[in-house]
Amino acid sequence: MSTKHIKRIGLAAAGLTATGIMIFGAASLASAETASPTPGASTSAGAGSDHGAKGGSNDTAVTGDELAKVTAAMKAKDSTVTVTGVRKDPDGSYDVLGTKDGANVMYDVSADLKTFTLNAGHGGGGKGHGGGGSNDTAVTGDELAKVTAAMKAKDSTVTVTGVRKDPDGSYDVLGTKDGANVMYDVSADLTTFTLNAGHGGGK
């Protein structure tokens, strides 16, 4: 075998070794990036909870036959409730929004449409806002007009369907946007608006 031929084989082997090192290094880097989450990244657990973390919402709008079925079940449970919208949670249960006796209400409804729990944050007992009876009150008259105007100034695409006032002076503004039900937590001075994660999307 000539010296020139041996030299070519040596160069080829060196090239393969270098390639192997590069591939191993890239694989190791990818593995390290997979194992180590980005600093500051947060999980989405609880993002869809009522008055919980202000992340993205995992619930979806209910339409068509499913909406009709849930609405009928709600009416059968309480004929005085006017359903204004329904959201479906990842576990298959529903959030039924509506009005009753002039006040906004929301029911947590089981996936089999057999269990109806009035959400305390929307006009009555049940879970939410710490359980027990709700301390928020319906907003009417000039105050309602003022809060509605502030909401429209913040986002003109929101149609306000009702406003509740919490004991600390802040407001829960319920409405619709792009065909979906939304709820904003609004500060008492009407300067801070936070989209509630459990009612139609993140911030």
Side-chain angles (χ1 to χ4, degrees), residues 92-94 109-115:
S93 63
Y94 300 94
V109 181
S110 61
D112 60 6
L113 303 179
K114 293 181 180 179
T115 305

Side-chain angles (χ1 to χ4, degrees), residues 30-187:
S31 177
E33 289 179 348
T34 301
S36 302
T38 304
S42 60
T43 62
S44 60
S49 61
D50 184 43
H51 286 283
K54 307 298 182 185
S57 174
N58 291 323
D59 61 357
T60 55
V62 175
T63 59
D65 292 341
E66 188 175 16
L67 174 61
K69 182 173 67 174
V70 177
T71 300
M74 184 70 252
K75 295 296 284 185
K77 178 67 176 180
D78 188 341
S79 62
T80 66
V81 173
T82 299
V83 176
T84 58
V86 178
R87 308 287 299 179
K88 189 172 187 177
D89 293 320
D91 63 0
S93 63
Y94 300 94
D95 295 330
V96 177
L97 288 85
T99 59
K100 178 178 178 178
D101 300 329
N104 291 294
V105 293
M106 189 181 88
Y107 282 84
D108 296 312
V109 181
S110 61
D112 60 6
L113 303 179
K114 293 181 180 179
T115 305
F116 295 76
T117 305
L118 181 60
N119 189 295
H122 299 271
K127 66 180 182 180
H129 279 297
S134 173
N135 291 322
D136 61 358
T137 56
V139 175
T140 58
D142 292 341
E143 188 175 18
L144 173 61
K146 184 173 67 173
V147 177
T148 300
M151 184 72 252
K152 295 295 285 184
K154 178 67 177 179
D155 189 341
S156 61
T157 65
V158 173
T159 299
V160 176
T161 58
V163 178
R164 307 288 299 179
K165 189 172 186 177
D166 293 320
D168 63 1
S170 63
Y171 301 94
D172 296 331
V173 177
L174 287 86
T176 59
K177 179 178 179 178
D178 300 328
N181 291 295
V182 293
M183 190 181 87
Y184 282 83
D185 296 312
V186 182
S187 61

